[in-house]
Amino acid sequence: MRDDGLIRDMREEYNEYLRDESRTAGFADSISFPRTEEDIRRIARYCYDRGCRLTVQGGRTGLAAAAVPFGGHILNLSRMDRVTGMALRDGVFYLTVQPGVVLRELRKAIAAKRFDTADWSPASLDALEAFRAAAEQMFTPDPTETSATIGGMAACNASGARTHGYGPTRGYVEGIRVVLADGDTVALRRGEVCARGRKMTLTTESGHTLHVDLPTYTMPRTKNASGYFAADDMDAVDLFVGSDGTLGVLSELELRLLPLPNTIWAATCFFDRKEQAIAFTDALRRTEVKEVSLEYFDRRALDILRTQKREKTAFAALPDIPAGVGAAVYAELHCSGEAEAAGKLFRLGEVLTEAGGSEEDTWVARTENDRDKLLFFRHAVPESVNMLIDERKKIFPSITKLGSDMSVPDEHIFDVVRLYRTTLAEEGFDAAVWGHIGENHLHVNILPRNEEEFVRGKELFVRWAEAVTAMGGAVSAEHGVGKLKASFLRIMYGDGHIREMAALKRVLDEKSILGIGNLFSEEDGRTRS
């Protein structure tokens, strides 16, 4: 395969593939860019025969270093970027895509109702005609980074702001094709292969039977992307979604679409104190408004945006943030028409006033252009924080931003906010907090000013993982575990359940070559119970 160029030796020109958005960098011996499932199968067999570790990559937008290699071979799927078909079943549209399809490009194609159909089947072309005549459609998962690939989103069960209303990626994956570590393949469609209790049987396309014992832990009652999905009588599709590239390579996915709402309005609400913003969130979730997004920004995040608007021309379009405010919440409403939207907005205003917010300071977006401005505001926060850290790294090269990804059940939202506030103050950290407050999922970002704060910040994250676990929460709500949070997963599930996950992996990956270091250590992955 080296002769035909499928597997290439690592050279300087490929150095960018040694890192992802976590700012973690690794090393590798070789790299490949397959274009077909058969390419993946050949590469997998090559690595399996040699016991060579294999790291799967998509767009490398992840924040948990799941796509960062530490030796062996990089399997980069970015060139498997075609939409290969469409189906219409019971009034629902489905798209079949390769794993390297970029979310941003998929959204454009869906909106324009235009696809490259050169190799589509007659049935797919018939579905496309119906799609063009139907109401507008959407693929709902919406991670902040729209350059994410569909395969990568499925690998970590990505979500985003609209998860509050629609749920994460898992619920929109209807079928998958998987290349296992030895090059064999499994084809799964939702509803066709399910576990009996916690025992599952998979049959590969070559006829091999694999008996899988699912982990016995109980998943937390909250937004969760921590470890293998496990539940009684679960669907086999769900085992691979969120598996962080450790069980197989997703070579094809079928995605379920939903009708785009007729009317989408949004509002950004400001509060003097964070406690008012939390109370507003808690109260609004109990109403009939049924918002699809609730996004939070604390005082430090707002101050960083003010500075960016003042000092960087790229952020000049940011709206002026009201003076003195201490927190903000962005809410998005999806409605059947403007009458429904107006009613929901009125009810939101009532809840806002009761929580101590000001309707006069609220930004309301009734058009797509105005909504884009509010979304620019939301997306400018992490970008601005990264720029701030990049400046500090010029003096202290070893530091990075430390961002949490933990969630708790509804009844613990006030508890976890109090935990963050108290411990950050005790440690004297510079920190900015934003994120998906609708699911009690805040990204607490410690911004270290030197190496000593960087070390203490990582220690504080361990304490948070222990506290969140005690509240019945998840140590990773949407970014996956990857390599950076493997120690947190052990806190969440304990040694026994980690061994169960490792044993499950060995059934599908006997030589333990896939995604080494993701979810659990290499030693855990190779040691038999």
Side-chain angles (χ1 to χ4, degrees), residues 75-214:
L75 180 69
N76 184 281
L77 299 172
S78 59
R79 297 183 188 178
M80 292 184 67
D81 58 357
R82 296 189 61 247
V83 178
T84 59
M86 177 178 284
L88 174 60
R89 299 192 294 271
D90 299 324
V92 178
F93 289 99
Y94 301 86
L95 282 176
T96 301
V97 305
Q98 292 182 315
V101 168
V102 173
L103 176 61
R104 178 176 56 243
E105 300 307 315
L106 182 65
R107 286 176 173 173
K108 289 178 181 178
I110 292 171
K113 298 188 174 183
R114 296 182 61 183
F115 302 89
D116 178 0
T117 61
D119 299 320
W120 282 27
S121 68
S124 289
L125 294 173
D126 289 343
L128 178 58
E129 287 303 309
F131 179 77
R132 287 172 172 160
E136 302 296 313
Q137 301 286 309
M138 66 175 179
F139 179 59
T140 64
D142 64 330
T144 300
E145 185 50 76
T146 59
S147 61
T149 62
I150 300 302
M153 290 170 59
C156 71
N157 190 31
S159 49
R162 289 178 176 174
T163 303
H164 179 56
Y166 292 107
T169 298
R170 172 174 284 115
Y172 300 91
V173 178
E174 191 68 15
I176 53 176
R177 290 188 58 82
V178 185
V179 178
L180 300 179
D182 62 0
D184 207 346
T185 53
V186 177
L188 298 169
R189 183 177 297 281
R190 190 169 291 282
E192 292 184 353
V193 180
C194 295
R196 292 188 175 184
R198 295 293 175 108
K199 293 187 178 295
M200 180 181 291
T201 300
L202 300 174
T203 302
T204 72
E205 291 189 312
S206 69
H208 290 126
T209 300
L210 302 171
H211 298 288
V212 176
D213 289 328
L214 300 170

Side-chain angles (χ1 to χ4, degrees), residues 3 29 32 41 46 55 63 68 119 121 130 194 205 208 245 247 291 299 316 325 396 419 476 484 509:
D3 293 339
D29 301 314
S32 60
R41 295 184 64 193
Y46 178 91
T55 300
L63 297 173
V68 177
D119 299 320
S121 68
C194 295
E205 291 189 312
H208 290 126
L247 299 181
E291 65 288 339
R299 186 186 299 274
V325 296
F396 303 102
L419 168 73
S476 177
L484 297 187
D509 176 15

Side-chain angles (χ1 to χ4, degrees), residues 304-367:
I304 289 172
L305 288 182
R306 288 192 182 97
T307 301
Q308 292 291 78
K309 178 178 174 63
R310 184 172 61 249
E311 298 181 356
K312 303 284 195 313
T313 57
F315 293 89
L318 283 170
D320 291 323
I321 301 170
V325 296
V329 176
Y330 168 87
E332 188 169 301
L333 312 175
H334 287 193
C335 307
S336 60
E338 291 193 359
E340 181 188 0
K344 288 188 174 184
L345 187 63
F346 179 80
R347 184 71 180 99
L348 182 150
E350 290 180 331
V351 178
L352 168 70
T353 302
E354 291 167 1
S358 169
E359 289 193 39
E360 292 182 0
D361 288 334
T362 299
W363 300 339
V364 176
R366 296 181 177 87
T367 67

